[in-house]
Every structure is written in structure tokens, then in C-alpha cells.
Amino acid sequence: MAANERPQRPKLPYGELIGKYKVIKCVGQGGYGDIYYVTSPTDQFPTALKFEMKNARKQALKREYEYLKKVQGSIKFPRAIDFVEEESYRYIVMEMLGPSVSNLRRSCTGGKFGLFTTLQVAQMMLSIIEELHERGLIHRDIKPGNFLLRPSSNVFLCLVDFGLSKLYIDPETQEVLGPVEHPGFKGTLKYASPYAHYGEDQGRRDDLF
């Protein structure tokens, strides 16, 4: 393997059972794991499974599940269904949503939303970010691809992917945590705030960029 090549993550075969969940197809790939559309005998709504190998260089699924539990009860975030940890892998099962704002925009005439839609989407995004902050979390990877459509709801968007999220409120003292020195870059280059690019620790302001 060349020095600049990354090892390929194993793909789950379509039709295979992972626990009680049958893999239908891969619907997304992220820096920390792949997302599959899955079905099970107890489905009440479409479900997605986010999968991670325990020997992967980057691991975040256990932390992501802890943060996902913190935002349960709100329609602005996906419903968590299951978290399973086996000897060599782990996975989260959650509500299936989508498409993303990014994919919707690309499907529009001229590749862009009209003014009214843009304002509606922006207002909804800000409302979702505000609630995330109220629950003591910052996201650190806000981008159109992480806002998914929730059909048939007045709250028509949902924020996903908490793999880079962190607490900014101390759960014991309820005080804002101080900045971390040399935190390293977190986020997506195209959408990250200037402060993230400068190498500074991120806070609520960075989610708003």
C-alpha cells in the first residue's frame, strides 16, 4: 500500500443480517463510519444503521451515541433506536431521514434554492442549532449535508452526525468549559469557521458560521 493510501473500510454485504437488522443498501459514507438503510421485523419507521469497526483508525460511534441520547425527545434530531457493541464492531441504529439540504439544492433548477426557500431553510437551521446549544452541545461540523429532510412535519429539517460534537457546558457545575489548547482541526474544510482554521478551540459561534 502506498504511503498516501488509506485502508478501505469493509462494506456490509447487502441482504446480510447485522443482529436483527437486514442490510438493504449503503446510503452514506462519513469520516468515522458508513451508514446503511436497514430493516427489521419490529420496524415502526425507516431505519438507518451507522457502522464502525473497532480497529478503525478513527473511532467516534460510542461518543456519538452518548450525544445522540442527550438530544432525544426533540423532533429536530433523529430518534435513537439501538446501540450494539460486538467483539470487532459497533453500530448505532436510528431513524432514517433525508435527503440532505445539499442534495436537495443540487436537484433544483440552476443548482440553487429560491429566496423564499433559502430564508425558510436558514431560519430552521438556526432554530435547530439553538436547541443543540441549549442542551449543552456544540456540533463542530455544521454543513448542508448534515441537515436532513424530515417529511410530513412542520419541523422539516433534522440535524445529524454528532461524531465531532462535544460538550461545552460542564454537566456538574453548569459552567461554560474553558478553551482547550491545541485542539486540532475539527470539521469540514469548506464549511469550518475561520477560528477552526486558525487552530482555536471551537464554541457556539463556530457552529453559526
Side-chain angles (χ1 to χ4, degrees):
M1 181 182 295
N4 62 346
E5 290 183 357
R6 295 181 181 180
Q8 293 293 312
R9 287 194 295 244
K11 293 292 185 288
L12 300 181
Y14 296 170
E16 180 174 307
L17 284 175
I18 303 296
K20 65 179 181 180
Y21 301 98
K22 183 178 180 180
V23 178
I24 305 301
K25 64 177 180 178
C26 183
V27 295
Q29 294 178 295
Y32 292 88
D34 297 328
I35 302 101
Y36 295 85
Y37 169 45
V38 297
T39 61
S40 81
T42 57
D43 282 351
Q44 296 180 359
F45 42 80
T47 51
L49 181 149
K50 192 168 186 179
F51 183 87
E52 175 185 86
M53 296 297 298
K54 285 190 174 180
N55 63 359
R57 184 172 62 88
K58 292 182 176 181
Q59 297 191 29
L61 218 56
K62 186 180 291 187
R63 182 176 68 248
E64 180 170 358
Y65 182 65
E66 290 302 312
Y67 294 153
L68 190 57
K69 288 193 295 184
K70 285 185 170 293
V71 296
Q72 291 302 288
S74 171
I75 199 170
K76 297 176 181 178
F77 310 99
R79 285 176 282 187
I81 299 166
D82 207 353
F83 177 76
V84 176
E85 192 158 12
E86 300 289 356
E87 184 177 348
S88 59
Y89 62 86
R90 60 177 69 91
Y91 59 85
I92 298 173
V93 181
M94 65 192 89
E95 177 184 12
M96 179 84 170
L97 299 158
S100 71
V101 168
S102 182
N103 287 337
L104 285 170
R105 192 267 305 163
R106 282 195 289 266
S107 69
C108 292
T109 303
K112 61 182 181 180
F113 294 136
L115 177 60
F116 179 71
T117 301
T118 300
L119 294 173
Q120 277 193 310
V121 168
Q123 184 180 34
M124 183 61 67
M125 285 178 166
L126 289 170
S127 171
I128 292 170
I129 293 169
E130 181 180 37
E131 179 159 340
L132 181 73
H133 292 169
E134 288 173 350
R135 292 178 181 238
L137 290 167
I138 55 173
H139 192 274
R140 299 201 294 184
D141 197 19
I142 294 291
K143 58 185 178 183
N146 279 337
F147 286 94
L148 304 186
L149 190 68
R150 182 189 287 282
S152 306
S153 171
N154 290 331
V155 180
F156 57 87
L157 291 180
C158 189
L159 180 61
V160 300
D161 196 351
F162 301 95
L164 293 177
S165 300
K166 75 166 190 174
L167 293 170
Y168 78 91
I169 295 288
D170 187 310
E172 294 184 2
T173 66
Q174 299 302 304
E175 298 290 329
V176 175
L177 295 168
V180 175
E181 291 189 12
H182 312 297
F185 179 81
K186 300 289 189 301
T188 300
L189 286 172
K190 183 178 179 180
Y191 297 104
S193 78
Y195 301 101
H197 285 285
Y198 298 154
E200 296 183 17
D201 197 23
Q202 295 184 52
R204 287 168 287 180
R205 67 180 179 186
D206 301 279
D207 279 349
L208 295 176
F209 271 90

